[in-house]
Amino acid sequence: MGKFLLILGRGVGQVMFQNNALSGALMLVGILLNSWQMALLAVAGNIVGTLAAYLSGYSREDIENGLYGFNGTLVGIAIGVFMPITLPSLLLLIVVSCLSTWIAWLFSLQRFISGFTAPFILSVWILLFVCSCWFPSLLLKSENSAGMQAFAFLQSFSLNIGQVMFQGGAILTGLFFLLGILVNSRVNAVYAVLGALLPIPIALLAGVESAVLNAGLIGYNGVLCAIALGDKTWSGGVYAVFSVLLSVFLQLLGMNVGITTLTAPFVLSVWITIGIRYLLLTLFPAKQKVA
């Protein structure tokens, strides 16, 4: 049971690149503070995704590190975001969580790019497409009742972190997510703060509605970008900042054309930034010191 709980915790923590069960537990508490239903769905998706990997004979080390649980965690929460909690939606949670695990395995077969949350994105996009075309009654109707709001800095900052896992209802949730990162890595925590802060002035300059900004819908991709690329070097910081800015642009673009972006701006931004870094290193290789 203890090993199972460690894997479960790591599966939640890996959503934000934290291979630490305590990090995952704190993040799960954060979700619970916003919605106990979403917390249960996160756990359910995590378990299903992990079991699918285990039964499929995938790498035991990757399973124990939570690498087959974090996409399922996001899928589980997404079910509660886009669907009412019914027997059909719970059955779909099982199917789509398994699908995310199988797609994650396909990404593991190559070493050119990391899949990050792409398995979750592709799985949920397939789910939404199928339901929209053939089973629209399974989806919740979208509502836009935010109305006029004044910009709230703390809310916007915290929910930029919370929305990484669809949590836009409690300021404390984002702070617990940040604490979960901090207990594992101070460097990652600093970059998470940077990723949550930087999109705010960009969005204000772009004229984004305060209600959208306050809900954390502009900056959550930036949080993931900053953690993924940031390190203790100046170049790491520069790449992180570039990726965050690119993710904000892609998020605004996707929202303007009506795409359910999920974390696609994060994945695309990091892939593009890694490609640029590789190109620069190829064109301008670092000089080797002669002994």
Side-chain angles (χ1 to χ4, degrees):
M1 176 60 74
K3 188 173 183 179
F4 170 77
L5 292 176
L6 286 175
I7 295 173
L8 179 67
R10 290 170 187 155
V12 179
Q14 286 283 14
V15 174
M16 292 191 172
F17 304 100
Q18 307 307 305
N19 185 14
N20 185 307
L22 177 58
S23 297
L26 288 168
M27 293 174 192
L28 193 57
V29 170
I31 299 173
L32 186 62
L33 290 172
N34 183 51
S35 169
W36 65 268
Q37 295 99 327
M38 286 192 180
L40 289 178
L41 291 171
V43 172
N46 189 325
I47 292 173
V48 171
T50 301
L51 283 178
Y54 179 80
L55 295 174
S56 299
Y58 297 161
S59 166
R60 187 64 60 87
E61 181 182 359
D62 288 346
I63 292 172
E64 292 181 355
N65 286 330
L67 296 179
Y68 285 109
F70 74 92
N71 281 292
T73 297
L74 290 170
V75 168
I77 301 171
I79 291 294
V81 171
F82 297 109
M83 296 180 165
I85 302 176
T86 60
L87 179 58
S89 66
L90 292 178
L91 291 174
L92 285 171
L93 182 152
I94 295 173
V95 172
V96 180
S97 294
C98 289
L99 178 60
S100 74
T101 291
W102 297 328
I103 295 175
W105 175 74
L106 291 176
F107 272 101
S108 74
L109 296 179
Q110 51 80 43
R111 290 292 180 264
F112 296 104
I113 56 173
S114 174
F116 299 119
T117 56
F120 148 69
I121 297 165
L122 295 173
S123 300
V124 173
W125 275 352
I126 291 171
L127 170 68
L128 294 178
F129 176 77
V130 170
C131 288
S132 297
C133 291
W134 292 287
F135 310 103
S137 62
L138 292 177
L139 297 174
L140 289 169
K141 294 182 179 180
S142 59
E143 296 180 1
N144 186 14
S145 57
M148 295 295 295
Q149 295 183 16
F151 170 62
F153 173 78
L154 178 60
Q155 179 180 344
S156 177
F157 167 77
S158 181
L159 296 190
N160 277 347
I161 303 174
Q163 284 286 10
V164 171
M165 297 194 216
F166 297 100
Q167 304 306 301
I171 293 176
L172 277 177
T173 298
L175 300 181
F176 264 87
F177 285 7
L178 184 58
L179 180 60
I181 298 169
L182 180 61
V183 298
N184 187 57
S185 171
R186 288 176 292 179
V187 172
N188 284 175
V190 169
Y191 275 103
V193 171
L194 173 67
L197 288 176
L198 190 55
I200 293 175
I202 304 302
L204 289 172
L205 290 173
V208 175
E209 293 182 5
S210 294
V212 175
L213 191 54
N214 290 343
L217 296 175
I218 304 300
Y220 67 93
N221 286 289
V223 172
L224 290 173
C225 288
I227 299 173
L229 294 173
D231 56 30
K232 295 181 180 180
T233 67
W234 283 106
S235 61
V238 170
Y239 287 125
V241 168
F242 173 79
S243 183
V244 171
L245 296 176
L246 181 57
S247 74
V248 174
F249 169 76
L250 292 176
Q251 177 71 350
L252 292 173
L253 179 63
M255 292 174 69
N256 285 336
V257 299
I259 297 174
T260 302
T261 58
L262 305 175
T263 53
F266 146 64
V267 173
L268 291 174
S269 298
V270 173
W271 282 351
I272 292 170
T273 304
I274 291 175
I276 292 173
R277 181 171 63 185
Y278 176 79
L279 180 61
L280 291 175
L281 289 175
T282 301
L283 295 175
F284 308 102
K287 294 182 180 179
Q288 301 294 323
K289 292 184 178 180
V290 179

PDB file of all heavy atoms in Angstrom, residues 89-112:
ATOM      1  N   SER A  89     -19.843   9.039 -18.246  1.00  0.00           N
ATOM      2  CA  SER A  89     -18.625   9.854 -18.173  1.00  0.00           C
ATOM      3  C   SER A  89     -17.535   9.136 -17.383  1.00  0.00           C
ATOM      4  O   SER A  89     -16.349   9.252 -17.698  1.00  0.00           O
ATOM      5  CB  SER A  89     -18.920  11.221 -17.563  1.00  0.00           C
ATOM      6  OG  SER A  89     -19.318  11.119 -16.201  1.00  0.00           O
ATOM      7  N   LEU A  90     -17.913   8.360 -16.371  1.00  0.00           N
ATOM      8  CA  LEU A  90     -16.923   7.602 -15.605  1.00  0.00           C
ATOM      9  C   LEU A  90     -16.333   6.474 -16.452  1.00  0.00           C
ATOM     10  O   LEU A  90     -15.137   6.168 -16.357  1.00  0.00           O
ATOM     11  CB  LEU A  90     -17.552   7.040 -14.333  1.00  0.00           C
ATOM     12  CG  LEU A  90     -17.955   8.084 -13.280  1.00  0.00           C
ATOM     13  CD1 LEU A  90     -18.623   7.413 -12.089  1.00  0.00           C
ATOM     14  CD2 LEU A  90     -16.747   8.899 -12.819  1.00  0.00           C
ATOM     15  N   LEU A  91     -17.162   5.863 -17.291  1.00  0.00           N
ATOM     16  CA  LEU A  91     -16.644   4.846 -18.208  1.00  0.00           C
ATOM     17  C   LEU A  91     -15.686   5.473 -19.219  1.00  0.00           C
ATOM     18  O   LEU A  91     -14.650   4.885 -19.559  1.00  0.00           O
ATOM     19  CB  LEU A  91     -17.806   4.154 -18.930  1.00  0.00           C
ATOM     20  CG  LEU A  91     -18.698   3.266 -18.055  1.00  0.00           C
ATOM     21  CD1 LEU A  91     -19.891   2.747 -18.859  1.00  0.00           C
ATOM     22  CD2 LEU A  91     -17.910   2.104 -17.463  1.00  0.00           C
ATOM     23  N   LEU A  92     -16.028   6.675 -19.674  1.00  0.00           N
ATOM     24  CA  LEU A  92     -15.141   7.384 -20.601  1.00  0.00           C
ATOM     25  C   LEU A  92     -13.840   7.774 -19.913  1.00  0.00           C
ATOM     26  O   LEU A  92     -12.777   7.805 -20.542  1.00  0.00           O
ATOM     27  CB  LEU A  92     -15.845   8.619 -21.160  1.00  0.00           C
ATOM     28  CG  LEU A  92     -16.914   8.338 -22.222  1.00  0.00           C
ATOM     29  CD1 LEU A  92     -17.699   9.610 -22.534  1.00  0.00           C
ATOM     30  CD2 LEU A  92     -16.273   7.794 -23.492  1.00  0.00           C
ATOM     31  N   LEU A  93     -13.901   8.091 -18.623  1.00  0.00           N
ATOM     32  CA  LEU A  93     -12.675   8.387 -17.875  1.00  0.00           C
ATOM     33  C   LEU A  93     -11.706   7.210 -17.962  1.00  0.00           C
ATOM     34  O   LEU A  93     -10.500   7.400 -18.179  1.00  0.00           O
ATOM     35  CB  LEU A  93     -13.019   8.691 -16.416  1.00  0.00           C
ATOM     36  CG  LEU A  93     -11.861   9.078 -15.479  1.00  0.00           C
ATOM     37  CD1 LEU A  93     -12.369   9.969 -14.346  1.00  0.00           C
ATOM     38  CD2 LEU A  93     -11.160   7.866 -14.872  1.00  0.00           C
ATOM     39  N   ILE A  94     -12.241   6.000 -17.810  1.00  0.00           N
ATOM     40  CA  ILE A  94     -11.393   4.808 -17.882  1.00  0.00           C
ATOM     41  C   ILE A  94     -10.791   4.666 -19.273  1.00  0.00           C
ATOM     42  O   ILE A  94      -9.577   4.461 -19.436  1.00  0.00           O
ATOM     43  CB  ILE A  94     -12.208   3.551 -17.521  1.00  0.00           C
ATOM     44  CG1 ILE A  94     -12.655   3.625 -16.060  1.00  0.00           C
ATOM     45  CG2 ILE A  94     -11.395   2.282 -17.774  1.00  0.00           C
ATOM     46  CD1 ILE A  94     -13.610   2.516 -15.647  1.00  0.00           C
ATOM     47  N   VAL A  95     -11.626   4.805 -20.303  1.00  0.00           N
ATOM     48  CA  VAL A  95     -11.166   4.631 -21.684  1.00  0.00           C
ATOM     49  C   VAL A  95     -10.120   5.680 -22.052  1.00  0.00           C
ATOM     50  O   VAL A  95      -9.059   5.362 -22.604  1.00  0.00           O
ATOM     51  CB  VAL A  95     -12.360   4.710 -22.659  1.00  0.00           C
ATOM     52  CG1 VAL A  95     -11.874   4.720 -24.106  1.00  0.00           C
ATOM     53  CG2 VAL A  95     -13.315   3.541 -22.427  1.00  0.00           C
ATOM     54  N   VAL A  96     -10.408   6.939 -21.739  1.00  0.00           N
ATOM     55  CA  VAL A  96      -9.522   8.036 -22.164  1.00  0.00           C
ATOM     56  C   VAL A  96      -8.235   8.046 -21.340  1.00  0.00           C
ATOM     57  O   VAL A  96      -7.163   8.368 -21.859  1.00  0.00           O
ATOM     58  CB  VAL A  96     -10.259   9.387 -22.076  1.00  0.00           C
ATOM     59  CG1 VAL A  96      -9.352  10.517 -22.515  1.00  0.00           C
ATOM     60  CG2 VAL A  96     -11.511   9.359 -22.955  1.00  0.00           C
ATOM     61  N   SER A  97      -8.302   7.681 -20.070  1.00  0.00           N
ATOM     62  CA  SER A  97      -7.080   7.578 -19.264  1.00  0.00           C
ATOM     63  C   SER A  97      -6.167   6.488 -19.819  1.00  0.00           C
ATOM     64  O   SER A  97      -4.944   6.671 -19.896  1.00  0.00           O
ATOM     65  CB  SER A  97      -7.421   7.291 -17.800  1.00  0.00           C
ATOM     66  OG  SER A  97      -8.102   8.365 -17.203  1.00  0.00           O
ATOM     67  N   CYS A  98      -6.757   5.363 -20.207  1.00  0.00           N
ATOM     68  CA  CYS A  98      -5.967   4.300 -20.846  1.00  0.00           C
ATOM     69  C   CYS A  98      -5.365   4.786 -22.157  1.00  0.00           C
ATOM     70  O   CYS A  98      -4.186   4.520 -22.460  1.00  0.00           O
ATOM     71  CB  CYS A  98      -6.841   3.071 -21.100  1.00  0.00           C
ATOM     72  SG  CYS A  98      -7.314   2.162 -19.615  1.00  0.00           S
ATOM     73  N   LEU A  99      -6.163   5.514 -22.923  1.00  0.00           N
ATOM     74  CA  LEU A  99      -5.674   6.052 -24.198  1.00  0.00           C
ATOM     75  C   LEU A  99      -4.481   6.974 -23.975  1.00  0.00           C
ATOM     76  O   LEU A  99      -3.484   6.918 -24.714  1.00  0.00           O
ATOM     77  CB  LEU A  99      -6.801   6.800 -24.912  1.00  0.00           C
ATOM     78  CG  LEU A  99      -6.446   7.479 -26.243  1.00  0.00           C
ATOM     79  CD1 LEU A  99      -5.947   6.456 -27.252  1.00  0.00           C
ATOM     80  CD2 LEU A  99      -7.647   8.240 -26.791  1.00  0.00           C
ATOM     81  N   SER A 100      -4.543   7.814 -22.951  1.00  0.00           N
ATOM     82  CA  SER A 100      -3.426   8.725 -22.667  1.00  0.00           C
ATOM     83  C   SER A 100      -2.166   7.951 -22.311  1.00  0.00           C
ATOM     84  O   SER A 100      -1.053   8.361 -22.662  1.00  0.00           O
ATOM     85  CB  SER A 100      -3.805   9.699 -21.545  1.00  0.00           C
ATOM     86  OG  SER A 100      -3.816   9.056 -20.278  1.00  0.00           O
ATOM     87  N   THR A 101      -2.334   6.826 -21.618  1.00  0.00           N
ATOM     88  CA  THR A 101      -1.178   5.986 -21.271  1.00  0.00           C
ATOM     89  C   THR A 101      -0.557   5.379 -22.508  1.00  0.00           C
ATOM     90  O   THR A 101       0.670   5.356 -22.655  1.00  0.00           O
ATOM     91  CB  THR A 101      -1.607   4.874 -20.295  1.00  0.00           C
ATOM     92  OG1 THR A 101      -1.927   5.467 -19.036  1.00  0.00           O
ATOM     93  CG2 THR A 101      -0.492   3.859 -20.095  1.00  0.00           C
ATOM     94  N   TRP A 102      -1.380   4.893 -23.414  1.00  0.00           N
ATOM     95  CA  TRP A 102      -0.859   4.280 -24.640  1.00  0.00           C
ATOM     96  C   TRP A 102      -0.162   5.319 -25.518  1.00  0.00           C
ATOM     97  O   TRP A 102       0.867   5.032 -26.130  1.00  0.00           O
ATOM     98  CB  TRP A 102      -1.994   3.587 -25.390  1.00  0.00           C
ATOM     99  CG  TRP A 102      -2.590   2.459 -24.600  1.00  0.00           C
ATOM    100  CD1 TRP A 102      -1.927   1.649 -23.705  1.00  0.00           C
ATOM    101  CD2 TRP A 102      -3.953   2.026 -24.588  1.00  0.00           C
ATOM    102  NE1 TRP A 102      -2.797   0.751 -23.151  1.00  0.00           N
ATOM    103  CE2 TRP A 102      -4.050   0.937 -23.663  1.00  0.00           C
ATOM    104  CE3 TRP A 102      -5.108   2.427 -25.251  1.00  0.00           C
ATOM    105  CZ2 TRP A 102      -5.240   0.276 -23.406  1.00  0.00           C
ATOM    106  CZ3 TRP A 102      -6.303   1.765 -24.999  1.00  0.00           C
ATOM    107  CH2 TRP A 102      -6.372   0.701 -24.087  1.00  0.00           C
ATOM    108  N   ILE A 103      -0.707   6.527 -25.574  1.00  0.00           N
ATOM    109  CA  ILE A 103      -0.049   7.579 -26.358  1.00  0.00           C
ATOM    110  C   ILE A 103       1.272   7.971 -25.699  1.00  0.00           C
ATOM    111  O   ILE A 103       2.278   8.215 -26.387  1.00  0.00           O
ATOM    112  CB  ILE A 103      -0.974   8.804 -26.499  1.00  0.00           C
ATOM    113  CG1 ILE A 103      -2.223   8.442 -27.318  1.00  0.00           C
ATOM    114  CG2 ILE A 103      -0.235   9.970 -27.174  1.00  0.00           C
ATOM    115  CD1 ILE A 103      -3.252   9.561 -27.410  1.00  0.00           C
ATOM    116  N   ALA A 104       1.295   8.018 -24.367  1.00  0.00           N
ATOM    117  CA  ALA A 104       2.544   8.317 -23.652  1.00  0.00           C
ATOM    118  C   ALA A 104       3.604   7.274 -23.978  1.00  0.00           C
ATOM    119  O   ALA A 104       4.794   7.599 -24.146  1.00  0.00           O
ATOM    120  CB  ALA A 104       2.294   8.377 -22.153  1.00  0.00           C
ATOM    121  N   TRP A 105       3.186   6.018 -24.071  1.00  0.00           N
ATOM    122  CA  TRP A 105       4.132   4.956 -24.424  1.00  0.00           C
ATOM    123  C   TRP A 105       4.684   5.162 -25.834  1.00  0.00           C
ATOM    124  O   TRP A 105       5.880   4.959 -26.076  1.00  0.00           O
ATOM    125  CB  TRP A 105       3.443   3.594 -24.326  1.00  0.00           C
ATOM    126  CG  TRP A 105       4.316   2.465 -24.787  1.00  0.00           C
ATOM    127  CD1 TRP A 105       5.386   1.918 -24.131  1.00  0.00           C
ATOM    128  CD2 TRP A 105       4.193   1.753 -26.026  1.00  0.00           C
ATOM    129  NE1 TRP A 105       5.946   0.906 -24.877  1.00  0.00           N
ATOM    130  CE2 TRP A 105       5.227   0.785 -26.049  1.00  0.00           C
ATOM    131  CE3 TRP A 105       3.316   1.834 -27.100  1.00  0.00           C
ATOM    132  CZ2 TRP A 105       5.399  -0.095 -27.111  1.00  0.00           C
ATOM    133  CZ3 TRP A 105       3.490   0.962 -28.159  1.00  0.00           C
ATOM    134  CH2 TRP A 105       4.513   0.004 -28.165  1.00  0.00           C
ATOM    135  N   LEU A 106       3.839   5.596 -26.758  1.00  0.00           N
ATOM    136  CA  LEU A 106       4.311   5.857 -28.124  1.00  0.00           C
ATOM    137  C   LEU A 106       5.379   6.953 -28.127  1.00  0.00           C
ATOM    138  O   LEU A 106       6.381   6.851 -28.847  1.00  0.00           O
ATOM    139  CB  LEU A 106       3.136   6.261 -29.025  1.00  0.00           C
ATOM    140  CG  LEU A 106       2.117   5.159 -29.352  1.00  0.00           C
ATOM    141  CD1 LEU A 106       0.965   5.734 -30.160  1.00  0.00           C
ATOM    142  CD2 LEU A 106       2.792   4.022 -30.111  1.00  0.00           C
ATOM    143  N   PHE A 107       5.172   7.994 -27.321  1.00  0.00           N
ATOM    144  CA  PHE A 107       6.189   9.038 -27.225  1.00  0.00           C
ATOM    145  C   PHE A 107       7.487   8.490 -26.638  1.00  0.00           C
ATOM    146  O   PHE A 107       8.580   8.945 -27.005  1.00  0.00           O
ATOM    147  CB  PHE A 107       5.684  10.199 -26.367  1.00  0.00           C
ATOM    148  CG  PHE A 107       4.926  11.247 -27.128  1.00  0.00           C
ATOM    149  CD1 PHE A 107       3.540  11.282 -27.109  1.00  0.00           C
ATOM    150  CD2 PHE A 107       5.594  12.215 -27.868  1.00  0.00           C
ATOM    151  CE1 PHE A 107       2.840  12.246 -27.816  1.00  0.00           C
ATOM    152  CE2 PHE A 107       4.914  13.192 -28.566  1.00  0.00           C
ATOM    153  CZ  PHE A 107       3.520  13.209 -28.549  1.00  0.00           C
ATOM    154  N   SER A 108       7.385   7.518 -25.735  1.00  0.00           N
ATOM    155  CA  SER A 108       8.586   6.973 -25.100  1.00  0.00           C
ATOM    156  C   SER A 108       9.430   6.144 -26.054  1.00  0.00           C
ATOM    157  O   SER A 108      10.598   5.842 -25.749  1.00  0.00           O
ATOM    158  CB  SER A 108       8.192   6.107 -23.889  1.00  0.00           C
ATOM    159  OG  SER A 108       7.646   4.858 -24.301  1.00  0.00           O
ATOM    160  N   LEU A 109       8.879   5.785 -27.215  1.00  0.00           N
ATOM    161  CA  LEU A 109       9.613   4.971 -28.172  1.00  0.00           C
ATOM    162  C   LEU A 109      10.659   5.773 -28.937  1.00  0.00           C
ATOM    163  O   LEU A 109      11.503   5.197 -29.626  1.00  0.00           O
ATOM    164  CB  LEU A 109       8.646   4.326 -29.167  1.00  0.00           C
ATOM    165  CG  LEU A 109       7.636   3.329 -28.573  1.00  0.00           C
ATOM    166  CD1 LEU A 109       6.728   2.788 -29.674  1.00  0.00           C
ATOM    167  CD2 LEU A 109       8.345   2.192 -27.855  1.00  0.00           C
ATOM    168  N   GLN A 110      10.600   7.101 -28.832  1.00  0.00           N
ATOM    169  CA  GLN A 110      11.588   7.949 -29.498  1.00  0.00           C
ATOM    170  C   GLN A 110      12.213   8.887 -28.467  1.00  0.00           C
ATOM    171  O   GLN A 110      11.682   9.087 -27.390  1.00  0.00           O
ATOM    172  CB  GLN A 110      10.952   8.730 -30.656  1.00  0.00           C
ATOM    173  CG  GLN A 110       9.684   9.487 -30.296  1.00  0.00           C
ATOM    174  CD  GLN A 110       9.926  10.804 -29.598  1.00  0.00           C
ATOM    175  OE1 GLN A 110      10.807  11.565 -29.997  1.00  0.00           O
ATOM    176  NE2 GLN A 110       9.183  11.073 -28.542  1.00  0.00           N
ATOM    177  N   ARG A 111      13.372   9.432 -28.808  1.00  0.00           N
ATOM    178  CA  ARG A 111      14.105  10.282 -27.871  1.00  0.00           C
ATOM    179  C   ARG A 111      14.320  11.690 -28.421  1.00  0.00           C
ATOM    180  O   ARG A 111      15.116  12.453 -27.882  1.00  0.00           O
ATOM    181  CB  ARG A 111      15.468   9.645 -27.555  1.00  0.00           C
ATOM    182  CG  ARG A 111      15.354   8.372 -26.721  1.00  0.00           C
ATOM    183  CD  ARG A 111      14.876   8.683 -25.323  1.00  0.00           C
ATOM    184  NE  ARG A 111      14.748   7.484 -24.491  1.00  0.00           N
ATOM    185  CZ  ARG A 111      13.628   6.831 -24.302  1.00  0.00           C
ATOM    186  NH1 ARG A 111      12.506   7.236 -24.901  1.00  0.00           N
ATOM    187  NH2 ARG A 111      13.590   5.751 -23.536  1.00  0.00           N
ATOM    188  N   PHE A 112      13.610  12.027 -29.500  1.00  0.00           N
ATOM    189  CA  PHE A 112      13.788  13.352 -30.094  1.00  0.00           C
ATOM    190  C   PHE A 112      13.084  14.430 -29.281  1.00  0.00           C
ATOM    191  O   PHE A 112      13.635  15.499 -29.038  1.00  0.00           O
ATOM    192  CB  PHE A 112      13.280  13.356 -31.550  1.00  0.00           C
ATOM    193  CG  PHE A 112      14.054  12.446 -32.453  1.00  0.00           C
ATOM    194  CD1 PHE A 112      13.513  11.228 -32.854  1.00  0.00           C
ATOM    195  CD2 PHE A 112      15.319  12.793 -32.890  1.00  0.00           C
ATOM    196  CE1 PHE A 112      14.228  10.376 -33.678  1.00  0.00           C
ATOM    197  CE2 PHE A 112      16.044  11.946 -33.726  1.00  0.00           C
ATOM    198  CZ  PHE A 112      15.498  10.736 -34.117  1.00  0.00           C
TER     199      PHE A 112
END
